[in-house]
Amino acid sequence: MAETSQSPSQPEQADQPVADARAERHVARLAKRIGAFAGSHGGSAEGQIAYVGEVGTRILLVGSDGTWGDLVAPSYEIAERAVEASGIARQDSFDGEMAAKVRTGPYEWKRMAGIQVGGSPNT
């Protein structure tokens, strides 16, 4: 009876479909959340993708009503695919034109600028 040996690459190949399926689920979930954000904030949104290191990639979203939010994808590739699948407009950078669309409310003023302009630091 002849013995067959497995090459070291065979276990990796077996794991590849699992990794691909996991990535597809991440893409689908993120695209659904991006679409829900756009639908809840004026029907459309713009997104900008930024690598943030080992933790992943940030997808910054700005709705057509000026509301902003963000999501974190496990990789840049997954973020790109999710934004593409969602159908929103993708911006290369968070420049002045995109920033001008962001509308901040009382929460942001209290939490981010309140201390500097005399607001209470813990409200």
Side-chain angles (χ1 to χ4, degrees):
M1 186 185 239
E3 287 187 35
T4 59
S5 64
Q6 287 185 334
S7 69
S9 65
Q10 284 179 336
E12 291 175 17
Q13 291 173 350
D15 290 342
Q16 190 62 34
V18 173
D20 290 344
R22 188 175 301 130
E24 289 303 318
R25 286 193 302 272
H26 275 293
V27 168
R29 275 194 299 261
L30 287 167
K32 184 177 179 179
R33 291 179 70 190
I34 293 167
F37 176 88
S40 296
H41 298 288
S44 65
E46 295 179 45
Q48 190 264 332
I49 300 172
Y51 177 72
V52 292
E54 288 184 28
V55 296
T57 300
R58 180 181 189 207
I59 305 169
L60 176 68
L61 301 168
V62 179
S64 61
D65 66 355
T67 303
W68 65 276
D70 65 351
L71 298 168
V72 176
S75 73
Y76 197 88
E77 178 188 0
I78 288 173
E80 286 182 310
R81 290 170 48 201
V83 168
E84 184 178 324
S86 72
I88 66 167
R90 179 177 169 189
Q91 303 301 323
D92 292 328
S93 65
F94 190 76
D95 59 8
E97 187 177 321
M98 189 172 178
K101 295 176 184 177
V102 174
R103 299 291 171 243
T104 55
Y107 173 81
E108 288 85 5
W109 281 103
K110 286 180 182 178
R111 299 301 294 167
M112 294 190 287
I115 295 170
Q116 291 85 353
V117 294
S120 175
N122 293 320
T123 58

